[in-house]
């Protein structure tokens, strides 16, 4: 293998790792968003329960 081929393999590997990292970060942000929505839903349900019991 000549130097050009080695450089291409290195660049391809770097691009793949960058793409994988972006996908991983996107999944983490999606999980955080789902957890935040779940907490908000529970808080809304608790507020509704408190309002209903006050009547």
């Amino acid at each position: 293998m000549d130097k050009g081929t080695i450089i291409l393999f290195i660049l391809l590997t770097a691009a793949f790792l960058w793409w994988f990292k972006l996908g991983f970060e996107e999944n983490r942000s999606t999980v955080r968003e789902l957890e935040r929505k779940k907490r908000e839903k529970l808080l809304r349900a608790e507020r509704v329960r408190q309002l209903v019991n006050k009547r």
Side-chain angles (χ1 to χ4, degrees):
M1 289 177 25
D2 60 344
K3 290 181 182 180
T5 307
I6 293 171
I7 291 172
L8 285 176
F9 277 134
I10 290 171
L11 290 173
L12 179 63
T13 303
F16 175 74
L17 291 174
W18 177 70
W19 175 77
F20 187 73
K21 179 183 173 276
L22 286 177
F24 182 72
E25 288 176 357
E26 183 177 328
N27 286 341
R28 280 193 344 198
S29 64
T30 303
V31 168
R32 286 183 191 144
E33 182 68 21
L34 291 174
E35 288 174 351
R36 184 184 65 79
K37 286 182 180 181
K38 184 178 178 182
R39 283 192 306 266
E40 287 177 358
K41 184 178 179 181
L42 291 173
L43 287 173
R44 280 194 306 270
E46 182 61 31
R47 282 187 232 131
V48 168
R49 260 187 253 122
Q50 288 175 354
L51 288 172
V52 170
N53 287 336
K54 286 185 178 181
R55 290 184 179 181

